[in-house]
Amino acid sequence: MDDFGIHATALTKSYGALRVLDGIDLAVPRGSVLALLGPNGAGKTTTVRILATLTEPDSGTARVAGHDTASERTLVRRSISLTGQFAAVDELQTGAETLRMMGRLCGLRPRAARARADELLERFGLAEAAGRTAKSYSGGMRRRLDLAASLVARPEVIFLDEPTSGLDPRSRQDLWDLVRELRADGTSVLLTTQYLEEADRLADRVAVLAGGRIAAEGTPAELKSRVAGHRLDLTLASRDAYDALAPRAARLAAGRGAPATEELTLTPEELGLSLPTDGSAAHVRSLLDALDPDHTAVDRFSVRGATLDDVFLTLTGAAP
């Protein structure tokens, strides 16, 4: 167990008749990043709240930073940090005041709190804005300050619940770099996100939540291989063409030896179909001939590598 920052077994949680978690297992080795994916309402935030000791599970066990979340809550809370979906900073305090206050709350002496605040302001690119109140910060700066505040006590485990929601691309990239630094420093990170590119770039492993259970877990490459190494994306010429080819495509996908729902992706609003392929010209040509022998139904096609979007759609049936 000492090798894991997070280790949870058979966690369940219900709210009335709604079963949110139905026996999930999670393991995050120390110094690694696990991305937890799932559609809205899948239980991602509930999982984080249980592991952070903010909510009790109905059953199951969990250890975080080597401590039991039920019997050693105080030790868990001393070892973790949680950054929620929205930056939680006092707009009337300056960046420096916020971090110094957090240092004092974490038990640092005044001189040590100032030194830690200065260190984090520099690391997060906020040194020049240290004397400005947070209300004058941009959204990206507030998010960086929020994350800096969560690292004052040097946590062993950090929970990031959709940390880049609402950020512009540059701020998102900056936060990605910070997560990579945390991992390099040996911090265990549990990341929930709606951005599948984010999970692909940052996570050592990805777990997909669906129906209260872990539908799949593995490295991004392993999960992408489950829905084929390549995909053939088709845009059809008309609604009639879509209605005619969709059943035919389902039969072709099922012929690969897996249920069609695990191989075929349909986007009817865009008249789109996506099928697995080995990526070779011969196989692409054979699929096109089988689907559209008259060469009239397919308007456009492209071949690409499988992505986590494909994994997400295949395993959850939901839009990412």
Side-chain angles (χ1 to χ4, degrees), residues 57-129:
D58 296 333
S59 62
T61 61
R63 297 184 68 82
V64 175
H67 307 297
D68 187 273
T69 57
S71 61
E72 300 175 293
R73 287 188 177 186
T74 300
L75 293 176
V76 171
R77 291 174 179 177
R78 289 176 180 173
S79 305
I80 68 172
S81 184
L82 168 61
T83 298
Q85 296 179 23
F86 306 100
V89 296
D90 187 339
E91 294 188 345
L92 299 181
Q93 285 189 315
T94 67
E97 288 170 343
T98 295
L99 298 185
R100 290 170 187 169
M101 179 191 70
M102 290 302 299
R104 296 292 287 139
L105 291 174
C106 290
L108 299 180
R109 294 185 179 277
R111 180 178 297 179
R114 286 194 300 271
R116 181 62 173 158
D118 291 343
E119 175 188 348
L120 289 170
L121 288 165
E122 186 68 35
R123 180 179 181 183
F124 282 75
L126 295 170
E128 293 185 2

Side-chain angles (χ1 to χ4, degrees), residues 39 49 73 93 103 122 136 147 186 189 204 257 262 292 296 298 314:
R49 290 182 60 82
R73 287 188 177 186
Q93 285 189 315
E122 186 68 35
S136 70
L147 185 56
V189 180
D204 299 290
E262 294 187 4
D292 186 17
T296 58
V298 175
T314 295

Side-chain angles (χ1 to χ4, degrees), residues 18-192:
L18 178 62
R19 186 82 155 180
V20 179
L21 299 180
D22 192 17
I24 69 167
D25 302 326
L26 289 175
V28 184
R30 293 184 183 272
S32 69
V33 178
L34 174 71
L36 190 60
L37 305 181
N40 291 331
K44 302 186 297 297
T45 297
T46 298
T47 301
V48 169
R49 290 182 60 82
I50 288 173
L51 296 173
T53 74
L54 299 176
T55 299
E56 292 186 7
D58 296 333
S59 62
T61 61
R63 297 184 68 82
V64 175
H67 307 297
D68 187 273
T69 57
S71 61
E72 300 175 293
R73 287 188 177 186
T74 300
L75 293 176
V76 171
R77 291 174 179 177
R78 289 176 180 173
S79 305
I80 68 172
S81 184
L82 168 61
T83 298
Q85 296 179 23
F86 306 100
V89 296
D90 187 339
E91 294 188 345
L92 299 181
Q93 285 189 315
T94 67
E97 288 170 343
T98 295
L99 298 185
R100 290 170 187 169
M101 179 191 70
M102 290 302 299
R104 296 292 287 139
L105 291 174
C106 290
L108 299 180
R109 294 185 179 277
R111 180 178 297 179
R114 286 194 300 271
R116 181 62 173 158
D118 291 343
E119 175 188 348
L120 289 170
L121 288 165
E122 186 68 35
R123 180 179 181 183
F124 282 75
L126 295 170
E128 293 185 2
R132 289 165 43 193
T133 57
K135 67 180 179 181
S136 70
Y137 285 12
S138 67
M141 293 171 69
R142 293 187 190 193
R143 175 54 85 185
R144 294 203 303 274
L145 179 61
D146 191 37
L147 185 56
S150 71
L151 297 177
V152 167
R154 295 184 172 87
E156 296 179 51
V157 177
I158 185 166
F159 299 99
L160 301 176
D161 193 8
E162 300 190 21
T164 60
S165 178
L167 294 187
D168 60 77
R170 179 55 184 271
S171 296
R172 185 175 299 133
Q173 183 64 59
D174 289 343
L175 196 139
W176 290 354
D177 291 340
L178 292 170
V179 172
R180 294 185 184 103
E181 290 179 20
L182 289 172
R183 176 174 55 189
D185 289 344
T187 303
S188 304
V189 180
L190 177 62
L191 168 74
T192 75

